[in-house]
Structure formats: C-alpha cells, structure tokens
Amino acid sequence: MAVLNEEQSMLRDAAKSWTQEKSPVTAFRKMRDSGVDVGYDAAAWNEMAEMGWAGVIIPEEYGGSDFGYLSIGLILEELGRTLTASPLLVSAVGAASALVLGGTDSQKTEWLPKIAEGTAVGALAVDEGAHHNPDKVETKFEGGKITGKKTFVLEGFKADVLIVSAKGPDGVGFYLVRGDDAGVSRTRLALADSRGAANIEFKGAAAEPLTGGAAVVEQVLDRVRAALSAEMLGAAVQAFEVTLDYLKVRVQFGQVIGSFQALQHRAAKMFTDLELARSAVEAALQAIDAGTPDVPELVSLAKAKMGDTFHLVSNEMVQMHGGIGMTDAHDAGFYLKRARAAEAAFGNQAFHRDRYAKIQGY
C-alpha cells in the first residue's frame, strides 16, 4: 500500500466514517428506487462538498485544497465500497482537471470555485459512439459555436458546465459549454448501474476554447481513468470481503462452505488479484501527482487490471452466494452491475491493453 501523509490519512478515515454512517449500500438502494433523474442523492453530494472533497485537486487560490490525485483516489475508494453515487469523479476530477490544466484565467476564476463548493457540476463530453474512442471526433467548433453529438456523458443530464472535445482550427481540443445554453439538447439515459448519464446534441452552442489541445484531452482522461480505477478497487475489495464473510458462515452438506478447497482456491485468486490491482492503481495515482512521463502506461495498466479484477470478484460474489446472490434483495447484483458499467467507462480492458501495447512499441 502507498505510504500516506497525515492529510491523506485524515481524508481516508473521514471518507470511511462518512460512507459507513451516512451512505451505506442501503442508501444507494434507496436512491435507485426513488428514480431520481440525476442518478445521485443531492443532499449526500452537498455533504461531500461541505467536507471539501469536491476541491481536493483544485488549487487553493480557487477554493480547493490541492491535495492531489492519490488523495482523491482514497476518497473514491471508500465511496466505491458502498457504491455511493456522486458527481465526484467527472466533476471534481474530470471537469476540474480540464480547467486546471487547460482553462484560461477567466474560466478558472468563474468555474473552479463553484466546482470546489459543489454548487456547480461539471461533465466531460468525449465519446461519440457505443465504445470509448477519444480519437474519433466529428464534433466541430467554428465561429465560437459547437455542433455535434456526444454519447454516454456521465452526469451529463443536469451538468452546469460541459467540457467538450471537438475539432477546431488547431485540431482536437476541449471547449467549455454552459449547460443552460439554448444549443444544448440532452436525452437522459437509464444505465444498468443506476447512475446518471445522457446523450447530448450540440446545435450551434456557444463555446469557449481551452488551451493545450489534444495533449490536455489525453491528460485529463488519464486522470479520470486512474480515479475511476480507485473507485473500482474499493467496490471490488468490499465485494470480496462480503463474500469471504459469507464463506465462513454458510453451511452446506454439514460443513461451512469455506472449508471446501475449491472455494478456498478461488478466494485466494481474488485476494492476490486485488493486491496486484491495488499496486497498479496507487502507482498510477502517484505518477500523476509526481508528473512522471510514464503516466499513460501506468494508467492503462491500472484500468485494465482493475477491470479484470472487478469483473472476476463481482462474478464470484454472485456465484458463491448461490440463489440469494441472484436476487435483487441482495447487494451482489449492485456490485456486478457497477463492475460492468465501470469497465466500459473511459476505456475497457481491450482498449487499455491495446493502448499499453502501443506505448510499449508493439
């Protein structure tokens, strides 16, 4: 495990305490059953913002704490354990990173304090098809206007500010579009994991360019991928621990099923995979904080490894719980659905294996 400083330890402990007391899996079930269109509990999000979580990677001059990406990864890991749905990933990591890395002074001054306070939610509009492919960009920026379509924009249905990838005079880059612009048309999506998302069409929406071009697009996506991997790690660890506890109490054929060697081997496989995945995720987050040149390969390694591991653990959770694991009354299905949605978001295992191989020269 990564060696944490005092601030990071306090953040992790605060997140663990809050999620266990205020946002257990029962709270996620209640949110899902309520049918709220944004896909998260607004009151819970306000509490997170009040604790300063929305400003963890934002510089102090704009109302944040500038604690870095490992720090926000620790928070997301705890949120992942209880499947807490919030805009923290795409707003406080995605949109905030885009503004920090490529925003103009006026854009930073206007939006970063609002994102840090949680009074504004940002979203990244990147993909244009069924699969993650940031290199495929047909959306165009001309004459101060954006025209095009974006798919599966997480938190995009009610986001206050949209960071949109588009082709401009100097190639692909990010552009800032206000969510209430008359040229923005949104269609809400119902995702399997009950989170909020939307397809968005831009019909001549007013847009402001960010600086940095395609390089900033890639840097921002890597930060979101690493942060999402941290959330997936927390969910996978919790799914494993719940399953392990069940193996110790479920009796079949007159024996606790955890005494069966075949199940012990499967549990050992999950444990070792989780330990390897943790190393990969923490290495990626630390590399981002340190600004090392190997960030892209470490991020793709982490996302691919975490995707495989969460896929395995969520499957085993359902199978080892048997019949009860197949029902909606049990939480196992929530973890399996979250695993599938998180795998696909910002590049699945195939995407990141291919990207890693290309970086390595294959």
Side-chain angles (χ1 to χ4, degrees):
M1 292 181 65
V3 177
L4 307 181
N5 59 34
E6 184 178 354
E7 290 84 0
Q8 289 167 336
S9 296
M10 291 173 63
L11 272 176
R12 180 197 59 193
D13 294 344
K16 182 185 290 289
S17 176
W18 184 84
T19 53
Q20 291 176 351
E21 294 177 14
K22 299 289 189 70
S23 187
V25 181
T26 51
F28 174 77
R29 183 184 292 274
K30 182 179 179 181
M31 183 280 295
R32 182 204 65 168
D33 292 344
S34 73
V36 59
D37 56 11
V38 292
Y40 61 86
D41 184 330
W45 170 239
N46 289 337
E47 286 192 37
M48 293 183 214
E50 288 172 3
M51 289 185 286
W53 296 354
V56 168
I57 64 103
I58 294 174
E60 293 182 25
E61 62 186 296
Y62 298 109
S65 56
D66 201 14
F67 282 163
Y69 289 88
L70 177 59
S71 296
I72 203 162
L74 296 169
I75 296 171
L76 283 163
E77 182 180 342
E78 295 303 325
L79 296 179
R81 277 180 167 267
T82 59
L83 300 174
T84 300
S86 80
L88 193 68
L89 177 70
V90 295
S91 183
V93 178
S97 293
L99 289 165
V100 169
L101 293 173
T104 63
D105 289 341
S106 61
Q107 290 168 345
K108 291 177 182 178
T109 301
E110 179 178 3
W111 289 106
L112 285 177
K114 294 177 183 178
I115 291 174
E117 294 167 356
T119 55
V121 170
L124 293 179
V126 175
D127 290 317
E128 299 185 0
H131 302 285
H132 181 62
N133 185 1
D135 293 332
K136 179 185 176 182
V137 181
E138 300 297 332
T139 301
K140 293 182 179 180
F141 172 81
E142 293 178 329
K145 306 286 186 179
I146 271 190
T147 302
K149 297 180 180 180
K150 296 293 182 179
T151 58
F152 298 100
V153 181
L154 300 181
E155 316 301 348
F157 187 56
K158 291 288 182 71
D160 302 286
V161 58
L162 301 163
I163 307 298
V164 187
S165 64
K167 285 182 179 178
D170 301 317
V172 174
F174 272 144
Y175 296 84
L176 186 152
V177 178
R178 297 172 187 272
D180 59 0
D181 189 282
V184 176
S185 175
R186 319 188 208 200
T187 303
R188 179 175 175 263
L189 298 177
L191 300 187
D193 64 346
S194 304
R195 263 63 171 185
N199 288 339
I200 302 179
E201 184 173 1
F202 300 94
K203 304 174 182 178
E208 306 168 19
L210 275 68
T211 64
V216 165
V217 174
E218 199 64 22
Q219 290 169 17
V220 170
L221 288 174
D222 273 339
R223 281 154 173 76
V224 177
R225 291 159 178 159
L228 175 57
S229 297
E231 184 195 330
M232 294 167 70
L233 174 63
V237 168
Q238 182 68 15
F240 171 70
E241 291 178 356
V242 169
T243 303
L244 197 62
D245 288 342
Y246 185 73
L247 295 181
K248 296 175 182 177
V249 298
R250 176 73 166 100
V251 175
Q252 206 167 26
F253 308 114
Q255 300 180 63
V256 174
I257 62 174
S259 65
F260 300 153
Q261 192 175 58
L263 295 186
Q264 291 175 359
H265 288 170
R266 287 162 67 178
K269 163 70 173 170
M270 287 190 282
F271 176 79
T272 54
D273 281 1
L274 282 167
E275 291 299 295
L276 288 170
R278 176 177 294 280
S279 296
V281 171
E282 291 180 348
L285 292 167
Q286 288 175 315
I288 293 170
D289 284 334
T292 58
D294 57 353
V295 166
E297 59 195 277
L298 289 175
V299 167
S300 280
L301 177 64
K303 185 64 165 62
K305 180 61 180 173
M306 198 61 251
D308 283 343
T309 303
F310 196 10
H311 190 107
L312 169 69
V313 175
S314 61
N315 275 359
E316 292 285 49
M317 184 184 197
V318 172
Q319 291 187 16
M320 291 186 180
H321 277 84
I324 188 65
M326 297 291 292
T327 68
D328 187 66
H330 196 274
D331 295 338
F334 289 153
Y335 285 90
L336 186 142
K337 291 173 183 176
R338 181 57 184 155
R340 300 305 176 270
E343 285 177 63
F346 300 105
N348 62 12
Q349 291 90 300
F351 175 91
H352 285 289
R353 287 194 189 99
D354 183 66
R355 182 175 184 245
Y356 184 88
K358 289 177 179 176
I359 293 171
Q360 297 297 319
Y362 293 100

mmCIF file of all heavy atoms in Angstrom, residues 240 243-244 247 252-253 255-271 312 316 319-320:
data_model
loop_
_atom_site.group_PDB
_atom_site.id
_atom_site.type_symbol
_atom_site.label_atom_id
_atom_site.label_comp_id
_atom_site.label_asym_id
_atom_site.label_seq_id
_atom_site.Cartn_x
_atom_site.Cartn_y
_atom_site.Cartn_z
ATOM 1 N N PHE A 240 -15.367 -8.585 -2.258
ATOM 2 C CA PHE A 240 -14.567 -9.731 -1.808
ATOM 3 C C PHE A 240 -14.772 -9.989 -0.319
ATOM 4 O O PHE A 240 -14.960 -11.138 0.107
ATOM 5 C CB PHE A 240 -13.092 -9.487 -2.106
ATOM 6 C CG PHE A 240 -12.164 -10.495 -1.486
ATOM 7 C CD1 PHE A 240 -12.132 -11.805 -1.944
ATOM 8 C CD2 PHE A 240 -11.330 -10.143 -0.430
ATOM 9 C CE1 PHE A 240 -11.280 -12.744 -1.367
ATOM 10 C CE2 PHE A 240 -10.482 -11.066 0.141
ATOM 11 C CZ PHE A 240 -10.453 -12.372 -0.319
ATOM 12 N N THR A 243 -18.137 -11.480 0.447
ATOM 13 C CA THR A 243 -18.160 -12.877 0.007
ATOM 14 C C THR A 243 -17.365 -13.765 0.959
ATOM 15 O O THR A 243 -17.796 -14.875 1.308
ATOM 16 C CB THR A 243 -17.592 -12.989 -1.421
ATOM 17 O OG1 THR A 243 -18.346 -12.139 -2.295
ATOM 18 C CG2 THR A 243 -17.664 -14.426 -1.927
ATOM 19 N N LEU A 244 -16.212 -13.278 1.390
ATOM 20 C CA LEU A 244 -15.383 -14.052 2.317
ATOM 21 C C LEU A 244 -16.129 -14.296 3.626
ATOM 22 O O LEU A 244 -16.091 -15.414 4.177
ATOM 23 C CB LEU A 244 -14.077 -13.306 2.584
ATOM 24 C CG LEU A 244 -12.926 -14.113 3.198
ATOM 25 C CD1 LEU A 244 -12.502 -15.246 2.276
ATOM 26 C CD2 LEU A 244 -11.748 -13.184 3.506
ATOM 27 N N LEU A 247 -18.599 -17.080 3.117
ATOM 28 C CA LEU A 247 -17.985 -18.406 3.070
ATOM 29 C C LEU A 247 -17.728 -18.968 4.462
ATOM 30 O O LEU A 247 -17.659 -20.186 4.648
ATOM 31 C CB LEU A 247 -16.659 -18.352 2.302
ATOM 32 C CG LEU A 247 -16.719 -18.004 0.810
ATOM 33 C CD1 LEU A 247 -15.322 -18.026 0.202
ATOM 34 C CD2 LEU A 247 -17.627 -18.967 0.060
ATOM 35 N N GLN A 252 -23.240 -26.100 4.165
ATOM 36 C CA GLN A 252 -23.813 -26.964 3.142
ATOM 37 C C GLN A 252 -23.181 -28.347 3.285
ATOM 38 O O GLN A 252 -21.969 -28.459 3.558
ATOM 39 C CB GLN A 252 -23.548 -26.385 1.754
ATOM 40 C CG GLN A 252 -24.563 -26.792 0.710
ATOM 41 C CD GLN A 252 -24.443 -25.955 -0.558
ATOM 42 O OE1 GLN A 252 -23.380 -25.436 -0.865
ATOM 43 N NE2 GLN A 252 -25.531 -25.815 -1.293
ATOM 44 N N PHE A 253 -23.988 -29.397 3.129
ATOM 45 C CA PHE A 253 -23.506 -30.774 3.314
ATOM 46 C C PHE A 253 -22.877 -30.953 4.697
ATOM 47 O O PHE A 253 -21.899 -31.685 4.868
ATOM 48 C CB PHE A 253 -22.487 -31.150 2.233
ATOM 49 C CG PHE A 253 -22.962 -30.902 0.830
ATOM 50 C CD1 PHE A 253 -22.354 -29.951 0.035
ATOM 51 C CD2 PHE A 253 -24.043 -31.607 0.307
ATOM 52 C CE1 PHE A 253 -22.794 -29.709 -1.251
ATOM 53 C CE2 PHE A 253 -24.490 -31.371 -0.976
ATOM 54 C CZ PHE A 253 -23.872 -30.412 -1.756
ATOM 55 N N GLN A 255 -21.125 -28.841 6.392
ATOM 56 C CA GLN A 255 -19.852 -28.149 6.599
ATOM 57 C C GLN A 255 -19.973 -26.687 6.172
ATOM 58 O O GLN A 255 -20.764 -26.353 5.295
ATOM 59 C CB GLN A 255 -18.741 -28.797 5.772
ATOM 60 C CG GLN A 255 -18.458 -30.253 6.085
ATOM 61 C CD GLN A 255 -17.335 -30.788 5.203
ATOM 62 O OE1 GLN A 255 -16.200 -30.313 5.275
ATOM 63 N NE2 GLN A 255 -17.656 -31.755 4.374
ATOM 64 N N VAL A 256 -19.149 -25.850 6.799
ATOM 65 C CA VAL A 256 -19.035 -24.469 6.340
ATOM 66 C C VAL A 256 -18.404 -24.498 4.960
ATOM 67 O O VAL A 256 -17.361 -25.154 4.761
ATOM 68 C CB VAL A 256 -18.174 -23.646 7.320
ATOM 69 C CG1 VAL A 256 -17.937 -22.252 6.764
ATOM 70 C CG2 VAL A 256 -18.835 -23.566 8.687
ATOM 71 N N ILE A 257 -18.998 -23.816 3.976
ATOM 72 C CA ILE A 257 -18.507 -23.946 2.608
ATOM 73 C C ILE A 257 -17.098 -23.374 2.433
ATOM 74 O O ILE A 257 -16.392 -23.737 1.497
ATOM 75 C CB ILE A 257 -19.480 -23.292 1.590
ATOM 76 C CG1 ILE A 257 -19.629 -21.786 1.837
ATOM 77 C CG2 ILE A 257 -20.837 -23.978 1.641
ATOM 78 C CD1 ILE A 257 -20.462 -21.073 0.779
ATOM 79 N N GLY A 258 -16.685 -22.519 3.345
ATOM 80 C CA GLY A 258 -15.325 -22.004 3.278
ATOM 81 C C GLY A 258 -14.266 -23.063 3.528
ATOM 82 O O GLY A 258 -13.081 -22.834 3.266
ATOM 83 N N SER A 259 -14.687 -24.219 4.016
ATOM 84 C CA SER A 259 -13.730 -25.312 4.239
ATOM 85 C C SER A 259 -13.467 -26.116 2.970
ATOM 86 O O SER A 259 -12.540 -26.927 2.928
ATOM 87 C CB SER A 259 -14.252 -26.257 5.333
ATOM 88 O OG SER A 259 -15.443 -26.913 4.899
ATOM 89 N N PHE A 260 -14.260 -25.864 1.913
ATOM 90 C CA PHE A 260 -14.060 -26.593 0.661
ATOM 91 C C PHE A 260 -12.829 -26.021 -0.062
ATOM 92 O O PHE A 260 -12.746 -24.811 -0.301
ATOM 93 C CB PHE A 260 -15.289 -26.481 -0.239
ATOM 94 C CG PHE A 260 -16.551 -27.027 0.377
ATOM 95 C CD1 PHE A 260 -17.788 -26.541 -0.012
ATOM 96 C CD2 PHE A 260 -16.504 -28.021 1.342
ATOM 97 C CE1 PHE A 260 -18.961 -27.031 0.535
ATOM 98 C CE2 PHE A 260 -17.658 -28.527 1.901
ATOM 99 C CZ PHE A 260 -18.896 -28.030 1.511
ATOM 100 N N GLN A 261 -11.920 -26.909 -0.434
ATOM 101 C CA GLN A 261 -10.653 -26.448 -1.012
ATOM 102 C C GLN A 261 -10.851 -25.676 -2.311
ATOM 103 O O GLN A 261 -10.157 -24.688 -2.583
ATOM 104 C CB GLN A 261 -9.724 -27.639 -1.246
ATOM 105 C CG GLN A 261 -8.298 -27.228 -1.568
ATOM 106 C CD GLN A 261 -7.372 -28.432 -1.672
ATOM 107 O OE1 GLN A 261 -7.610 -29.331 -2.476
ATOM 108 N NE2 GLN A 261 -6.330 -28.453 -0.857
ATOM 109 N N ALA A 262 -11.814 -26.088 -3.127
ATOM 110 C CA ALA A 262 -12.040 -25.402 -4.402
ATOM 111 C C ALA A 262 -12.417 -23.940 -4.178
ATOM 112 O O ALA A 262 -11.953 -23.045 -4.896
ATOM 113 C CB ALA A 262 -13.134 -26.113 -5.196
ATOM 114 N N LEU A 263 -13.259 -23.672 -3.166
ATOM 115 C CA LEU A 263 -13.654 -22.302 -2.878
ATOM 116 C C LEU A 263 -12.505 -21.520 -2.246
ATOM 117 O O LEU A 263 -12.366 -20.312 -2.473
ATOM 118 C CB LEU A 263 -14.877 -22.283 -1.967
ATOM 119 C CG LEU A 263 -16.164 -22.872 -2.564
ATOM 120 C CD1 LEU A 263 -17.337 -22.670 -1.611
ATOM 121 C CD2 LEU A 263 -16.483 -22.245 -3.920
ATOM 122 N N GLN A 264 -11.680 -22.202 -1.478
ATOM 123 C CA GLN A 264 -10.502 -21.544 -0.910
ATOM 124 C C GLN A 264 -9.557 -21.073 -2.020
ATOM 125 O O GLN A 264 -9.011 -19.969 -1.950
ATOM 126 C CB GLN A 264 -9.762 -22.498 0.025
ATOM 127 C CG GLN A 264 -10.511 -22.822 1.304
ATOM 128 C CD GLN A 264 -9.794 -23.872 2.145
ATOM 129 O OE1 GLN A 264 -8.739 -24.368 1.766
ATOM 130 N NE2 GLN A 264 -10.392 -24.216 3.281
ATOM 131 N N HIS A 265 -9.379 -21.920 -3.031
ATOM 132 C CA HIS A 265 -8.509 -21.538 -4.149
ATOM 133 C C HIS A 265 -9.069 -20.326 -4.894
ATOM 134 O O HIS A 265 -8.323 -19.415 -5.290
ATOM 135 C CB HIS A 265 -8.357 -22.719 -5.114
ATOM 136 C CG HIS A 265 -7.510 -23.830 -4.569
ATOM 137 N ND1 HIS A 265 -7.405 -25.050 -5.190
ATOM 138 C CD2 HIS A 265 -6.730 -23.900 -3.463
ATOM 139 C CE1 HIS A 265 -6.599 -25.842 -4.499
ATOM 140 N NE2 HIS A 265 -6.180 -25.158 -3.433
ATOM 141 N N ARG A 266 -10.373 -20.307 -5.081
ATOM 142 C CA ARG A 266 -10.993 -19.172 -5.780
ATOM 143 C C ARG A 266 -10.875 -17.894 -4.952
ATOM 144 O O ARG A 266 -10.641 -16.811 -5.500
ATOM 145 C CB ARG A 266 -12.448 -19.502 -6.094
ATOM 146 C CG ARG A 266 -12.589 -20.531 -7.219
ATOM 147 C CD ARG A 266 -13.950 -21.188 -7.247
ATOM 148 N NE ARG A 266 -15.039 -20.265 -7.591
ATOM 149 C CZ ARG A 266 -16.308 -20.650 -7.702
ATOM 150 N NH1 ARG A 266 -16.640 -21.928 -7.502
ATOM 151 N NH2 ARG A 266 -17.240 -19.774 -8.014
ATOM 152 N N ALA A 267 -11.011 -18.017 -3.641
ATOM 153 C CA ALA A 267 -10.850 -16.849 -2.775
ATOM 154 C C ALA A 267 -9.410 -16.357 -2.793
ATOM 155 O O ALA A 267 -9.155 -15.143 -2.802
ATOM 156 C CB ALA A 267 -11.283 -17.194 -1.345
ATOM 157 N N ALA A 268 -8.455 -17.271 -2.813
ATOM 158 C CA ALA A 268 -7.038 -16.889 -2.858
ATOM 159 C C ALA A 268 -6.717 -16.170 -4.166
ATOM 160 O O ALA A 268 -5.939 -15.200 -4.177
ATOM 161 C CB ALA A 268 -6.159 -18.127 -2.705
ATOM 162 N N LYS A 269 -7.308 -16.626 -5.256
ATOM 163 C CA LYS A 269 -7.120 -15.973 -6.551
ATOM 164 C C LYS A 269 -7.622 -14.532 -6.497
ATOM 165 O O LYS A 269 -6.939 -13.598 -6.966
ATOM 166 C CB LYS A 269 -7.864 -16.771 -7.623
ATOM 167 C CG LYS A 269 -8.119 -16.058 -8.937
ATOM 168 C CD LYS A 269 -6.861 -15.830 -9.727
ATOM 169 C CE LYS A 269 -7.200 -15.273 -11.115
ATOM 170 N NZ LYS A 269 -5.991 -14.806 -11.837
ATOM 171 N N MET A 270 -8.797 -14.333 -5.917
ATOM 172 C CA MET A 270 -9.336 -12.977 -5.808
ATOM 173 C C MET A 270 -8.437 -12.094 -4.953
ATOM 174 O O MET A 270 -8.172 -10.932 -5.304
ATOM 175 C CB MET A 270 -10.752 -13.015 -5.219
ATOM 176 C CG MET A 270 -11.805 -13.538 -6.159
ATOM 177 S SD MET A 270 -13.494 -13.288 -5.523
ATOM 178 C CE MET A 270 -13.601 -14.625 -4.333
ATOM 179 N N PHE A 271 -7.956 -12.628 -3.846
ATOM 180 C CA PHE A 271 -7.117 -11.831 -2.943
ATOM 181 C C PHE A 271 -5.837 -11.375 -3.627
ATOM 182 O O PHE A 271 -5.455 -10.198 -3.551
ATOM 183 C CB PHE A 271 -6.783 -12.648 -1.694
ATOM 184 C CG PHE A 271 -5.853 -11.940 -0.749
ATOM 185 C CD1 PHE A 271 -6.324 -10.954 0.110
ATOM 186 C CD2 PHE A 271 -4.501 -12.243 -0.733
ATOM 187 C CE1 PHE A 271 -5.463 -10.290 0.966
ATOM 188 C CE2 PHE A 271 -3.630 -11.577 0.123
ATOM 189 C CZ PHE A 271 -4.109 -10.599 0.980
ATOM 190 N N LEU A 312 -14.019 -10.241 -12.206
ATOM 191 C CA LEU A 312 -13.901 -11.544 -11.548
ATOM 192 C C LEU A 312 -14.593 -11.554 -10.192
ATOM 193 O O LEU A 312 -15.400 -12.439 -9.894
ATOM 194 C CB LEU A 312 -12.424 -11.897 -11.378
ATOM 195 C CG LEU A 312 -12.122 -13.109 -10.483
ATOM 196 C CD1 LEU A 312 -12.576 -14.398 -11.155
ATOM 197 C CD2 LEU A 312 -10.634 -13.177 -10.146
ATOM 198 N N GLU A 316 -17.809 -13.768 -8.905
ATOM 199 C CA GLU A 316 -17.663 -14.734 -7.815
ATOM 200 C C GLU A 316 -18.588 -14.395 -6.646
ATOM 201 O O GLU A 316 -19.091 -15.282 -5.963
ATOM 202 C CB GLU A 316 -16.208 -14.767 -7.330
ATOM 203 C CG GLU A 316 -15.218 -15.337 -8.344
ATOM 204 C CD GLU A 316 -15.305 -16.847 -8.475
ATOM 205 O OE1 GLU A 316 -16.436 -17.387 -8.636
ATOM 206 O OE2 GLU A 316 -14.246 -17.499 -8.419
ATOM 207 N N GLN A 319 -21.907 -15.878 -7.655
ATOM 208 C CA GLN A 319 -21.888 -17.343 -7.715
ATOM 209 C C GLN A 319 -21.724 -17.973 -6.333
ATOM 210 O O GLN A 319 -22.391 -18.961 -6.007
ATOM 211 C CB GLN A 319 -20.762 -17.798 -8.644
ATOM 212 C CG GLN A 319 -21.028 -17.460 -10.096
ATOM 213 C CD GLN A 319 -19.993 -18.061 -11.036
ATOM 214 O OE1 GLN A 319 -19.243 -18.953 -10.665
ATOM 215 N NE2 GLN A 319 -19.958 -17.565 -12.254
ATOM 216 N N MET A 320 -20.856 -17.399 -5.512
ATOM 217 C CA MET A 320 -20.611 -18.003 -4.203
ATOM 218 C C MET A 320 -21.755 -17.776 -3.228
ATOM 219 O O MET A 320 -21.909 -18.521 -2.263
ATOM 220 C CB MET A 320 -19.297 -17.492 -3.619
ATOM 221 C CG MET A 320 -18.066 -17.990 -4.353
ATOM 222 S SD MET A 320 -16.539 -17.514 -3.526
ATOM 223 C CE MET A 320 -15.318 -18.256 -4.633
#
